Coordinates of all heavy atoms in Angstrom, one line a residue:
R13 N -8.8 2.6 -21.1 CA -8.8 2.7 -22.6 C -8.6 4.1 -23.0 O -9.2 5.1 -22.5 CB -10.1 2.1 -23.2 CG -10.1 2.3 -24.7 CD -11.4 1.7 -25.2 NE -11.6 2.1 -26.6 CZ -12.0 1.3 -27.6 NH1 -12.3 0.1 -27.4 NH2 -12.1 1.8 -28.9
F14 N -7.7 4.3 -24.0 CA -7.5 5.6 -24.6 C -7.7 5.6 -26.1 O -7.2 4.7 -26.8 CB -6.0 6.0 -24.3 CG -5.7 6.0 -22.8 CD1 -5.2 4.9 -22.2 CD2 -5.9 7.1 -22.0 CE1 -4.9 4.8 -20.9 CE2 -5.6 7.1 -20.7 CZ -5.1 5.9 -20.1
D15 N -8.4 6.6 -26.6 CA -8.7 6.6 -28.0 C -8.1 7.8 -28.7 O -8.0 8.9 -28.1 CB -10.3 6.7 -28.2 CG -11.0 5.4 -27.8 OD1 -10.7 4.4 -28.5 OD2 -11.7 5.4 -26.8
F16 N -7.7 7.6 -30.0 CA -7.1 8.7 -30.7 C -7.7 8.7 -32.1 O -7.9 7.6 -32.7 CB -5.6 8.5 -30.9 CG -4.9 8.3 -29.5 CD1 -4.7 7.1 -28.9 CD2 -4.5 9.5 -28.9 CE1 -4.1 7.0 -27.7 CE2 -3.8 9.4 -27.7 CZ -3.7 8.1 -27.1
D17 N -8.1 9.8 -32.6 CA -8.8 9.9 -33.9 C -7.7 9.9 -35.0 O -7.5 10.9 -35.7 CB -9.6 11.2 -34.0 CG -10.8 11.1 -33.1 OD1 -11.4 10.0 -33.1 OD2 -11.2 12.1 -32.4
F18 N -7.1 8.7 -35.2 CA -6.2 8.6 -36.3 C -6.7 7.5 -37.2 O -7.2 6.5 -36.8 CB -4.8 8.0 -35.8 CG -4.1 9.0 -34.9 CD1 -3.2 8.5 -33.9 CD2 -4.2 10.3 -35.0 CE1 -2.5 9.3 -33.1 CE2 -3.6 11.2 -34.1 CZ -2.7 10.7 -33.2
G19 N -6.5 7.8 -38.5 CA -6.8 6.7 -39.5 C -5.7 5.6 -39.4 O -4.7 5.8 -38.7
L20 N -5.9 4.5 -40.1 CA -5.0 3.4 -40.0 C -3.6 3.8 -40.5 O -2.6 3.5 -39.8 CB -5.5 2.2 -40.8 CG -4.7 0.9 -40.7 CD1 -4.7 0.4 -39.3 CD2 -5.3 -0.1 -41.6
E21 N -3.5 4.5 -41.6 CA -2.2 4.9 -42.1 C -1.5 5.8 -41.1 O -0.3 5.5 -40.8 CB -2.4 5.7 -43.4 CG -2.8 4.9 -44.6 CD -1.9 3.8 -44.9 OE1 -0.6 4.1 -45.0 OE2 -2.3 2.6 -45.0
E22 N -2.2 6.7 -40.6 CA -1.5 7.6 -39.6 C -1.1 6.9 -38.4 O 0.0 7.1 -37.8 CB -2.4 8.8 -39.2 CG -1.7 9.9 -38.4 CD -2.7 11.0 -38.0 OE1 -3.8 11.0 -38.5 OE2 -2.2 11.9 -37.3
S23 N -2.0 6.0 -37.9 CA -1.6 5.2 -36.7 C -0.3 4.4 -36.9 O 0.5 4.3 -36.0 CB -2.8 4.2 -36.4 OG -4.0 4.9 -36.2
M24 N -0.2 3.9 -38.1 CA 1.0 3.0 -38.4 C 2.3 3.8 -38.4 O 3.4 3.3 -38.3 CB 0.8 2.2 -39.7 CG -0.2 1.2 -39.5 SD -0.5 0.3 -41.0 CE 1.0 -0.7 -41.1
Q25 N 2.2 5.1 -38.5 CA 3.4 6.0 -38.5 C 3.8 6.4 -37.1 O 4.8 7.1 -36.9 CB 3.2 7.2 -39.4 CG 3.1 6.8 -40.9 CD 2.4 7.9 -41.7 OE1 2.4 9.1 -41.3 NE2 2.0 7.5 -42.9
R26 N 3.0 6.0 -36.2 CA 3.2 6.5 -34.8 C 4.1 5.5 -34.1 O 4.2 4.3 -34.4 CB 1.9 6.6 -34.0 CG 1.0 7.6 -34.6 CD 1.4 9.0 -34.2 NE 0.7 10.1 -34.9 CZ 0.7 11.3 -34.5 NH1 1.3 11.7 -33.4 NH2 0.0 12.2 -35.1
R27 N 4.8 6.0 -33.1 CA 5.6 5.2 -32.2 C 5.1 5.5 -30.8 O 5.0 6.6 -30.3 CB 7.1 5.7 -32.4 CG 8.1 4.9 -31.5 CD 9.4 5.6 -31.7 NE 10.4 4.9 -30.9 CZ 11.2 3.8 -31.3 NH1 11.0 3.4 -32.6 NH2 12.1 3.3 -30.6
L28 N 4.8 4.4 -30.1 CA 4.3 4.5 -28.7 C 5.5 4.6 -27.8 O 6.5 3.8 -27.8 CB 3.6 3.2 -28.4 CG 3.1 3.1 -26.9 CD1 2.1 4.1 -26.5 CD2 2.6 1.7 -26.6
D29 N 5.5 5.7 -27.0 CA 6.6 5.9 -26.1 C 6.0 5.9 -24.7 O 5.3 6.9 -24.3 CB 7.2 7.3 -26.4 CG 8.4 7.6 -25.4 OD1 8.9 6.7 -24.8 OD2 8.8 8.8 -25.3
L30 N 6.1 4.8 -24.0 CA 5.4 4.6 -22.8 C 6.3 4.5 -21.6 O 7.4 3.9 -21.7 CB 4.6 3.3 -22.9 CG 3.7 2.8 -21.7 CD1 2.5 2.1 -22.2 CD2 4.6 1.8 -20.9
S31 N 5.9 5.1 -20.5 CA 6.7 5.0 -19.2 C 5.8 4.5 -18.1 O 4.6 4.9 -18.0 CB 7.3 6.3 -18.9 OG 8.1 6.9 -19.9
V32 N 6.3 3.7 -17.3 CA 5.6 3.3 -16.0 C 6.4 4.1 -15.0 O 7.6 4.0 -14.9 CB 5.7 1.8 -15.7 CG1 4.9 1.5 -14.4 CG2 5.1 1.0 -16.9
K33 N 5.7 4.9 -14.2 CA 6.4 5.8 -13.3 C 5.8 5.6 -11.9 O 4.7 5.2 -11.7 CB 6.2 7.3 -13.7 CG 7.0 7.6 -15.0 CD 6.8 9.0 -15.3 CE 7.7 9.4 -16.6 NZ 7.4 10.7 -17.1
H34 N 6.7 6.0 -10.9 CA 6.3 5.9 -9.5 C 5.9 7.3 -9.1 O 6.6 8.3 -9.3 CB 7.5 5.4 -8.7 CG 7.3 5.7 -7.2 ND1 6.3 5.1 -6.5 CD2 8.1 6.4 -6.4 CE1 6.5 5.5 -5.2 NE2 7.6 6.2 -5.1
S35 N 4.7 7.5 -8.6 CA 4.2 8.8 -8.2 C 4.7 9.1 -6.8 O 3.9 9.1 -5.8 CB 2.7 8.7 -8.3 OG 2.1 9.8 -7.5
G36 N 5.9 9.4 -6.6 CA 6.5 9.7 -5.3 C 6.3 11.2 -5.0 O 5.8 11.9 -5.9
S37 N 6.6 11.6 -3.9 CA 6.5 13.0 -3.6 C 7.7 13.7 -4.3 O 8.7 13.2 -4.5 CB 6.6 13.3 -2.1 OG 7.9 13.0 -1.6
F38 N 7.4 15.0 -4.7 CA 8.5 15.7 -5.4 C 9.7 15.9 -4.5 O 10.8 16.1 -5.0 CB 7.9 17.1 -5.9 CG 6.9 16.9 -7.0 CD1 5.6 17.2 -6.8 CD2 7.3 16.4 -8.2 CE1 4.7 17.0 -7.8 CE2 6.4 16.2 -9.2 CZ 5.1 16.5 -9.0
M39 N 9.5 16.0 -3.2 CA 10.6 16.3 -2.3 C 11.5 15.1 -2.1 O 12.6 15.2 -1.8 CB 10.0 16.7 -0.9 CG 9.1 17.9 -0.9 SD 9.9 19.3 -1.7 CE 11.1 19.7 -0.5
S40 N 10.9 13.9 -2.3 CA 11.7 12.7 -2.0 C 12.7 12.4 -3.1 O 12.5 12.9 -4.2 CB 10.8 11.5 -1.8 OG 10.4 11.0 -3.0
R41 N 13.7 11.6 -2.8 CA 14.7 11.3 -3.8 C 14.4 10.0 -4.4 O 15.2 9.3 -5.0 CB 16.1 11.2 -3.2 CG 16.6 12.6 -2.7 CD 18.0 12.5 -2.2 NE 18.6 13.8 -2.1 CZ 19.1 14.4 -3.1 NH1 19.2 13.9 -4.3 NH2 19.7 15.6 -2.9
E42 N 13.1 9.5 -4.3 CA 12.8 8.2 -4.8 C 12.9 8.2 -6.4 O 12.5 9.3 -7.0 CB 11.4 7.8 -4.4 CG 11.3 7.5 -2.9 CD 9.8 7.4 -2.5 OE1 8.9 7.5 -3.3 OE2 9.6 7.4 -1.2
K43 N 13.3 7.1 -6.9 CA 13.3 7.0 -8.3 C 11.9 7.1 -8.9 O 11.0 6.5 -8.4 CB 13.9 5.6 -8.7 CG 14.3 5.5 -10.1 CD 15.3 4.3 -10.3 CE 14.5 3.0 -10.1 NZ 13.8 2.5 -11.3
E44 N 11.8 7.9 -10.0 CA 10.5 8.1 -10.5 C 10.2 7.1 -11.6 O 9.1 6.5 -11.6 CB 10.3 9.5 -11.1 CG 8.9 9.8 -11.4 CD 8.7 11.0 -12.4 OE1 9.7 11.4 -13.0 OE2 7.6 11.5 -12.5
L45 N 11.1 6.9 -12.5 CA 10.9 6.0 -13.6 C 11.1 4.5 -13.3 O 12.1 4.2 -12.7 CB 11.8 6.4 -14.8 CG 11.6 5.5 -16.1 CD1 10.3 5.9 -16.7 CD2 12.7 5.7 -17.0
I46 N 10.1 3.7 -13.5 CA 10.2 2.3 -13.2 C 10.6 1.6 -14.5 O 11.5 0.7 -14.4 CB 8.9 1.7 -12.7 CG1 8.5 2.5 -11.4 CG2 9.0 0.2 -12.4 CD1 7.1 2.1 -10.8
G47 N 10.0 1.9 -15.6 CA 10.4 1.2 -16.8 C 9.8 1.9 -18.0 O 8.8 2.7 -17.9
K48 N 10.4 1.6 -19.2 CA 10.0 2.3 -20.4 C 9.7 1.2 -21.5 O 10.2 0.1 -21.5 CB 11.0 3.2 -20.9 CG 11.1 4.6 -20.2 CD 12.1 5.5 -20.9 CE 11.6 6.2 -22.1 NZ 10.5 7.2 -21.8
L49 N 8.9 1.6 -22.5 CA 8.6 0.8 -23.6 C 8.5 1.7 -24.8 O 7.8 2.7 -24.8 CB 7.3 0.0 -23.4 CG 6.7 -0.7 -24.7 CD1 7.6 -1.8 -25.1 CD2 5.3 -1.1 -24.4
Q50 N 9.2 1.3 -25.9 CA 9.0 2.1 -27.2 C 8.7 1.1 -28.2 O 9.3 0.0 -28.3 CB 10.3 2.8 -27.6 CG 10.6 4.0 -26.7 CD 11.1 5.2 -27.4 OE1 11.6 5.1 -28.6 NE2 11.0 6.4 -26.9
L51 N 7.6 1.4 -28.9 CA 7.1 0.4 -29.9 C 6.6 1.1 -31.1 O 5.7 2.0 -31.0 CB 5.9 -0.3 -29.2 CG 5.2 -1.5 -29.8 CD1 6.2 -2.6 -29.9 CD2 4.0 -1.8 -29.0
D52 N 7.1 0.7 -32.3 CA 6.6 1.2 -33.5 C 5.3 0.5 -33.9 O 5.2 -0.7 -33.9 CB 7.6 1.0 -34.7 CG 8.8 1.9 -34.5 OD1 8.6 3.1 -34.2 OD2 9.9 1.4 -34.6
L53 N 4.2 1.3 -34.1 CA 2.9 0.7 -34.3 C 2.8 0.0 -35.6 O 1.9 -0.8 -35.8 CB 1.8 1.7 -34.1 CG 1.7 2.4 -32.7 CD1 0.4 3.2 -32.6 CD2 1.8 1.3 -31.6
D54 N 3.8 0.2 -36.6 CA 3.7 -0.6 -37.8 C 4.1 -2.0 -37.6 O 4.1 -2.8 -38.5 CB 4.5 0.1 -38.9 CG 5.9 0.3 -38.6 OD1 6.4 -0.2 -37.6 OD2 6.7 0.8 -39.4
Q55 N 4.6 -2.3 -36.4 CA 5.0 -3.7 -36.1 C 3.8 -4.5 -35.6 O 3.9 -5.7 -35.4 CB 6.0 -3.7 -34.9 CG 7.3 -2.9 -35.1 CD 8.1 -3.4 -36.3 OE1 8.5 -4.6 -36.3 NE2 8.4 -2.6 -37.3
I56 N 2.7 -3.9 -35.5 CA 1.5 -4.5 -34.9 C 0.4 -4.7 -35.9 O 0.2 -3.8 -36.8 CB 1.0 -3.7 -33.7 CG1 2.0 -3.8 -32.5 CG2 -0.3 -4.1 -33.2 CD1 1.7 -3.0 -31.4
D57 N -0.3 -5.8 -35.8 CA -1.5 -5.9 -36.7 C -2.6 -5.1 -36.1 O -3.4 -5.6 -35.3 CB -1.8 -7.4 -36.7 CG -3.0 -7.7 -37.7 OD1 -3.6 -6.7 -38.2 OD2 -3.3 -8.9 -38.0

């Protein structure tokens, strides 16, 4: 769980920019990004 000290109004102006990443070694050529999600919080109750 992650908490942010935002009022409701401010929260609704935020856009969640989320990434699921693979924690590979920096030396390897493995793909890091697995997937992304962008979500405007005013779309949510």
Side-chain angles (χ1 to χ4, degrees):
R13 176 178 165 139
F14 303 91
D15 291 293
F16 303 92
D17 289 318
F18 294 154
L20 186 60
E21 288 302 309
E22 190 180 354
S23 299
M24 289 178 74
Q25 290 161 20
R26 296 285 171 159
R27 180 184 180 91
L28 174 67
D29 182 15
L30 177 147
S31 302
V32 181
K33 292 181 174 172
H34 165 61
S35 160
S37 67
F38 290 113
M39 302 304 292
S40 78
R41 295 186 163 276
E42 290 166 9
K43 191 163 74 82
E44 191 198 14
L45 182 70
I46 299 175
K48 281 184 82 68
L49 166 68
Q50 288 219 342
L51 188 66
D52 290 314
L53 297 191
D54 61 4
Q55 302 296 306
I56 288 178
D57 185 351

